[in-house]
Amino acid sequence: MYTTSLKFDKIFTFINGKDDFMKDTIYIVGHKNPDTDSICSAISYAEFKHKIGNNAIAARLGALSRETSFVLDYFNVVAPQLISNVNPQISDFVIDDTFPVSPDVSIKSVWNIMKKNNLKSLPVVDEDNKLIGIISTSQVVNNTLDIWDTGVLYKGGTTIDNILDAISGQIVNKTYENFTPTGKVIIASMKEESLKESIEENDIIICGDDDKIQNIVVSSNASLMIMTSIKKDICSEIIEIADKNNILIIATPFDAFTVARLIPQSIPIGHIMTTENLIYFDQNDYIEDVKDVMLQTRYRSYPVVNADREVIGSISRFHLITGNKKKVILVDHNEHTQAVEGLENAEVLEIIDHHRIADIQTGLPVYFRNEPVGSTSTIISSIFFENGIRPSKKTAGLLCAAIISDTLLFKSPTSTNTDKVNLKRLASIADLNVEEFASKMFKAGTSLSNRTVEEIFKGDFKDFTLNNNKIGVSQFITIDTEGFKPLKEEMLNYMEKTCASDNYELLILLLTDFVVGGSYVLAVGKEKQLVNKVFNQDFKDDLIFVPGIISRKKQVIPPITALIAASRE
């Protein structure tokens, strides 16, 4: 909303890198702190949806990891744009058409537009269609009823075209080109001598068909003579004198009283429109903010603009009761703490995941596909093949990368034969040497050089709520565990501060070396002893190494969950 602009994040499609604000868009989004599988499955499922006729776009909730950035660069795919939430915005509604008008349009013309379309206000725009003001029926009525001073046409910048339109006038002589009225308005209803004394340079004179009065006017230094109630030809001598003195003559069928009433309607609306404290909305404004503004104001409708402040329509209170919601598909998660903000105000259509079933709740039945495979991208590729649809070469490459990443090239215990079969088929489509690509991807993604402890910890971090215990588990895959030793104390301090500030009962960091085949584990928090019990080891120098531990999902979360549950019994 504006008097002051409310700026919000835009949501873009990855397709060709173009903006996409079309209605009925389906937003496909992974979890917070997205990994390669989360990003690639969202992009790939968006392609599938496009191929079956849906308007779907991929989005992300966090920064790309180095590994994911490498993958997208390798296959030359544009990253999904970051979104902050999926609360409904004006862009989710079919808003009303509007009739933007130019500031030089006359009051009469605007009034006619309002009556014809039953409108209470109109946006006023400049030559680039950018909003500069608002004109309302109350302004038109009030200013029509006001007593104008005689110089209002000049002060309002009234054009001769507006005057002609207002009084249904016609040009009698040929001095119209580049003519602009600049004097005061006089009705020639006085004696001849008084009229001569009253006329000043560039005045506008309204008179009847009296030849003597007309002669006085065209012989003066006036600029415009408006002849009313014309029922006969105008004297050629009068026209000749007017041309000589550069005085424009307009003839109108209306009488002097009617002309005097109509002339103020020729004033441009730019003279009376509202230009300060305008209330209007951006198409990306959130409906909750719009409601708050509408509750404090009583206008029938409000202009809506795009990012360039171009008027694209209008919105009213009626739109707010239609209940439009963003349509969302969740991939690679089904846990509320990992999901996009505002999900409760969106319509969840599908959930595609390979993790434990958690706590996402929906108002309507949804398509829920959860399989015990190594990667969500394995499920996405299966959906392609089951429907007889071939993913593009780029998308096949993305799916390969995600399967390799999540299964650690099948070294993770989460790996299944389905992962292997789908990877082989996808690699053929992508024309990809799996081992060679995996080596490059892991090298790019696992280096610890130039990384902060925050970047390492947050790179693949997930929240879990286990029997009302808030637990966070971070996993960093690396083949450079020796390079972590100088960072250990700094990491522990960072984890302690995070644990205290965010009220975690337990924070865990898994530093996983899939080549060695195990993980170094750091843990902080009042429930730290759970880690000792789960792995049957005591911390030495705040660090333990657990052989064979590769999967957070399969080897860490389940035993901790079971231990917590047992302690409550």
Side-chain angles (χ1 to χ4, degrees):
M1 187 278 300
Y2 299 80
T3 49
T4 301
S5 169
L6 297 179
K7 294 296 183 181
F8 298 99
D9 295 329
K10 290 182 177 181
I11 300 178
F12 298 91
T13 177
F14 77 95
I15 302 295
N16 298 323
K18 294 180 180 178
D19 296 8
D20 192 333
F21 289 102
M22 293 191 297
K23 305 300 179 293
D24 297 322
T25 296
I26 301 171
Y27 301 101
I28 303 179
V29 61
H31 50 73
K32 296 175 181 176
N33 302 308
D35 58 9
T36 299
D37 189 32
S38 175
I39 295 295
C40 292
S41 59
I43 294 174
S44 301
Y45 202 45
E47 177 177 286
F48 172 80
K49 287 296 184 181
H50 269 277
K51 286 179 179 288
I52 62 172
N54 297 129
N55 178 37
I57 66 174
R60 62 185 171 93
L61 304 183
L64 298 176
S65 68
R66 292 190 188 183
E67 179 186 276
T68 307
S69 295
F70 169 83
V71 170
L72 296 183
D73 289 344
Y74 189 92
F75 294 107
N76 194 27
V77 174
V78 178
Q81 282 284 328
L82 181 70
I83 65 171
S84 60
N85 64 67
V86 288
N87 285 313
Q89 296 168 278
I90 291 178
S91 56
D92 299 315
F93 291 73
V94 178
I95 61 176
D96 293 332
D97 291 332
T98 191
F99 300 86
V101 292
S102 170
D104 57 8
V105 172
S106 69
I107 291 176
K108 178 185 177 182
S109 296
V110 164
W111 179 248
N112 289 337
I113 294 172
M114 289 177 169
K115 285 197 302 181
K116 180 179 179 181
N117 297 283
N118 192 30
L119 299 172
K120 297 297 183 182
S121 64
L122 289 173
V124 185
V125 298
D126 63 15
E127 58 186 10
D128 296 319
N129 199 40
K130 297 179 188 284
L131 184 69
I132 58 173
I134 294 175
I135 183 74
S136 66
T137 53
S138 61
Q139 287 172 308
V140 171
V141 171
N142 289 340
N143 283 281
T144 301
L145 295 176
D146 276 348
I147 298 175
W148 297 98
D149 67 67
T150 56
V152 68
L153 297 189
Y154 167 64
K155 293 175 181 178
T158 306
T159 65
I160 196 66
D161 287 325
N162 281 3
I163 294 175
L164 291 170
D165 179 61
I167 65 174
S168 300
Q170 291 184 337
I171 301 291
V172 173
N173 54 351
K174 299 180 179 181
T175 58
Y176 167 51
E177 189 175 352
N178 299 322
F179 179 82
T180 301
T182 59
K184 65 181 184 294
V185 179
I186 296 176
I187 298 178
S189 59
M190 58 199 77
K191 293 181 179 181
E192 295 176 16
E193 289 303 317
S194 296
L195 178 61
K196 290 179 183 179
E197 294 175 1
S198 299
I199 297 176
E200 297 177 345
E201 184 176 5
N202 295 324
D203 279 350
I204 301 162
I205 314 300
I206 300 173
C207 65
D209 59 0
D210 188 319
D211 292 343
K212 291 181 180 180
I213 296 295
Q214 292 175 5
N215 191 62
I216 290 173
V217 174
V218 296
S219 299
S220 70
N221 56 356
S223 63
L224 172 63
M225 180 172 70
I226 300 175
M227 302 175 63
T228 63
S229 303
I230 297 301
K231 298 178 181 178
K232 62 179 182 179
D233 292 337
I234 299 170
C235 176
S236 59
E237 183 180 348
I238 295 294
I239 296 175
E240 184 178 340
I241 297 172
D243 286 341
K244 179 180 178 182
N245 293 322
N246 200 30
I247 296 175
L248 183 65
I249 300 175
I250 294 176
T252 173
F254 298 128
D255 58 43
F257 171 76
T258 302
V259 170
R261 287 178 50 241
L262 292 177
I263 269 202
Q265 296 183 26
S266 68
I267 298 168
I269 57 169
H271 186 61
I272 63 171
M273 68 181 183
T274 298
T275 58
E276 296 182 357
N277 298 321
L278 300 180
I279 299 178
Y280 61 101
F281 301 106
D282 186 283
Q283 64 178 353
N284 297 315
D285 284 354
Y286 292 108
I287 295 304
E288 284 304 311
D289 298 307
V290 171
K291 286 180 180 178
D292 290 342
V293 174
M294 287 188 176
L295 285 173
Q296 299 172 31
T297 56
R298 302 303 304 168
Y299 301 118
R300 183 170 177 178
S301 64
Y302 303 78
V304 177
V305 302
N306 61 18
D308 296 322
R309 199 171 167 171
E310 298 169 338
V311 176
I312 59 173
S314 65
I315 189 170
S316 64
R317 286 173 174 77
F318 168 78
H319 293 90
L320 305 187
I321 63 175
T322 59
N324 284 38
K325 295 183 177 181
K326 283 187 171 65
K327 296 175 173 60
V328 178
I329 294 175
L330 305 180
V331 294
D332 200 33
H333 71 296
N334 71 100
E335 191 138 5
H336 192 271
T337 57
Q338 298 174 23
V340 61
E341 298 296 329
L343 190 64
E344 64 279 4
N345 297 319
E347 181 183 355
V348 179
L349 302 179
E350 303 178 29
I351 301 175
I352 313 293
D353 192 20
H354 69 131
H355 297 92
R356 73 188 185 105
I357 296 177
D359 59 354
I360 295 289
Q361 296 184 358
T362 63
L364 296 170
V366 302
Y367 176 76
F368 187 101
R369 182 160 177 171
N370 185 285
E371 295 183 20
V373 292
S375 167
T376 298
S377 290
T378 298
I379 305 174
I380 302 299
S381 59
S382 294
I383 292 173
F384 270 99
F385 299 143
E386 290 165 3
N387 286 276
I389 297 174
R390 181 186 177 96
S392 66
K393 184 175 181 179
K394 286 184 178 182
T395 295
L398 295 180
L399 291 168
C400 284
I403 294 172
I404 294 168
S405 175
D406 251 27
T407 65
L408 299 177
L409 197 53
F410 309 124
K411 289 184 173 62
S412 171
T414 61
S415 305
T416 66
N417 189 57
T418 303
D419 300 307
K420 295 176 182 178
V421 170
N422 281 13
L423 177 62
K424 183 177 181 180
R425 189 170 180 181
L426 291 165
S428 176
I429 296 172
D431 192 22
L432 188 70
N433 184 313
V434 171
E435 287 74 18
E436 183 180 303
F437 171 78
S439 177
K440 291 179 180 178
M441 183 182 73
F442 287 131
K443 184 176 180 181
T446 65
S447 173
L448 288 168
S449 63
N450 299 319
R451 291 184 190 265
T452 65
V453 292
E454 182 178 13
E455 184 181 356
I456 293 169
F457 189 79
K458 288 187 174 180
D460 186 5
F461 176 80
K462 291 185 178 179
D463 278 321
F464 299 91
T465 301
L466 306 178
N467 284 2
N468 296 320
N469 287 275
K470 185 179 179 182
I471 294 173
V473 184
S474 173
Q475 184 170 27
F476 189 84
I477 311 295
T478 183
I479 55 178
D480 182 26
T481 52
E482 285 296 315
F484 179 75
K485 290 181 179 179
L487 300 173
K488 189 188 74 170
E489 293 303 321
E490 185 181 357
M491 177 62 77
L492 283 169
N493 289 334
Y494 173 80
M495 291 171 65
E496 291 280 7
K497 291 178 181 178
T498 303
C499 192
S501 63
D502 295 344
N503 300 314
Y504 285 97
E505 276 73 40
L506 175 64
L507 279 181
I508 299 172
L509 170 64
L510 301 175
L511 198 67
T512 301
D513 187 334
F514 63 90
V515 175
V516 175
S519 296
Y520 290 91
V521 182
L522 280 79
V524 299
K526 64 182 182 180
E527 298 292 343
K528 179 179 176 180
Q529 77 281 352
L530 290 174
V531 178
N532 300 81
K533 294 178 181 179
V534 165
F535 299 123
N536 196 27
Q537 290 193 43
D538 293 326
F539 283 96
K540 183 178 180 180
D541 296 328
D542 299 306
L543 187 71
I544 60 175
F545 178 76
V546 187
I549 296 297
I550 300 294
S551 171
R552 167 178 51 194
K553 177 181 69 175
K554 199 166 186 177
Q555 297 174 295
V556 178
I557 298 303
I560 290 179
T561 303
L563 194 60
I564 291 175
S567 68
R568 295 295 177 90
E569 294 178 355

